[in-house]
C-alpha cells in the first residue's frame, strides 16, 4: 500500500512551503514519513525518512536520531485521541499537525515547558502527554547532538494554529 495519491484532510491546511533543509524541515519530514509508515505498513515511507536523515546527518548520527524519531512518533500515535494529519510524502510544506510536531521539538530544545505541554495537548487531543513529552525530549536531544538546532521561532506554530494563521513557520527561511 502506498500513500502517493494526493489526500488533503479538511483540518490539514498548508502552513508553509519550506526549503528542503534545516532542522525544522528534518523534523517535519521525519514525522510525516514515520506516520505514513505506521499508517500504511509501507516500508518505503520509513526508507524515505531514513534516506533524508542519512543525507543530512550521516549514517552514525542519523541512526540515533531516527531511533528517537520512531519512539516519539510511536508515543504520539499511542497517546492521540484523534487521527494525526500529515501531507503525502512528496508534498511540499507542512500541515497544522506537522507544524505542531515541529513546534513541540523546538519547545523542547529551547526548554519552554509550558509550550511543550500545550503543543503535546494540541497535537494529540489527549491529556496523556507525558510519554509524548519524554520521547520528544529524547528526540530533541538526539537532534541537538547531531548539530540540528531548531529555531526558537518554530515554537510560534502553536500560536499560528490557535489563531488560524497559516504562516506558523514562515520565518524559518
Amino acid at each position: 500500500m502506498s500513500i502517493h495519491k494526493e489526500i488533503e484532510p479538511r483540518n490539514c491546511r498548508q502552513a508553509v512551503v519550506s526549503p528542503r533543509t534545516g532542522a525544522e524541515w528534518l523534523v517535519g519530514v521525519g514525522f510525516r514519513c514515520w506516520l505514513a509508515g505506521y499508517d500504511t505498513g509501507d516500508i518505503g515511507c520509513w526508507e524515505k525518512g531514513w534516506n533524508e536523515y542519512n543525507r543530512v546527518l550521516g549514517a552514525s548520527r542519523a541512526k540515533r536520531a531516527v531511533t528517537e524519531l520512531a519512539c516519539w512518533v510511536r508515543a504520539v500515535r499511542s497517546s492521540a485521541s484523534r487521527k494525526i494529519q500529515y501531507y503525502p510524502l512528496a508534498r511540499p510544506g507542512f500541515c497544522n499537525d506537522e507544524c505542531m510536531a515541529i513546534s513541540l521539538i523546538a519547545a523542547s530544545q529551547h526548554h519552554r515547558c509550558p509550550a511543550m505541554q500545550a503543543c503535546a495537548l494540541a497535537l494529540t487531543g489527549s491529556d496523556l502527554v507525558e510519554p509524548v513529552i519524554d520521547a520528544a525530549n529524547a528526540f530533541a536531544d538526539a537532534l541537538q547532538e547531531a548539530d540540528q538546532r531548531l529555531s526558537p521561532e518554530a515554537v510560534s506554530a502553536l500560536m499560528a494554529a490557535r489563531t488560524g494563521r497559516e504562516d506558523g513557520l514562515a520565518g524559518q527561511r
Side-chain angles (χ1 to χ4, degrees):
M1 176 183 258
S2 178
I3 64 162
H4 295 286
K5 60 184 182 176
E6 193 72 15
I7 300 171
E8 178 123 10
R10 277 182 287 133
N11 69 336
C12 199
R13 296 169 299 175
Q14 183 166 337
V16 66
V17 175
S18 62
R20 291 180 46 90
T21 60
E24 292 82 7
W25 178 82
L26 200 58
V27 171
V29 78
F31 186 72
R32 178 182 296 173
C33 288
W34 251 255
L35 281 173
Y38 285 132
D39 283 351
T40 66
D42 182 355
I43 195 169
C45 300
W46 293 325
E47 288 173 344
K48 179 175 175 46
W50 165 257
N51 289 337
E52 292 301 321
Y53 274 70
N54 186 40
R55 180 183 64 80
V56 173
L57 304 178
S60 62
R61 295 193 305 179
K63 185 177 180 179
R64 172 152 187 252
V66 167
T67 298
E68 298 301 343
L69 166 69
C71 292
W72 171 55
V73 173
R74 195 169 40 250
V76 168
R77 283 177 40 102
S78 65
S79 295
S81 65
R82 63 180 186 84
K83 172 87 169 114
I84 305 298
Q85 302 296 319
Y86 56 93
Y87 279 157
L89 296 183
R91 173 113 184 226
F94 299 113
C95 73
N96 291 340
D97 283 351
E98 292 168 325
C99 287
M100 194 60 62
I102 294 166
S103 292
L104 174 57
I105 301 305
S108 175
Q109 282 190 340
H110 294 283
H111 307 291
R112 295 189 181 165
C113 294
M116 283 184 64
Q117 183 82 15
C119 288
L121 287 167
L123 182 60
T124 64
S126 170
D127 291 334
L128 305 172
V129 295
E130 286 307 313
V132 173
I133 290 173
D134 291 344
N137 285 331
F139 179 47
D141 289 347
L143 290 173
Q144 181 75 32
E145 289 173 13
D147 298 322
Q148 295 296 309
R149 181 103 168 138
L150 282 79
S151 166
E153 288 82 26
V155 181
S156 69
L158 173 63
M159 282 309 293
R162 286 187 171 177
T163 62
R165 288 179 44 215
E166 294 186 12
D167 60 347
L169 294 176
Q172 295 304 304
R173 292 196 174 138

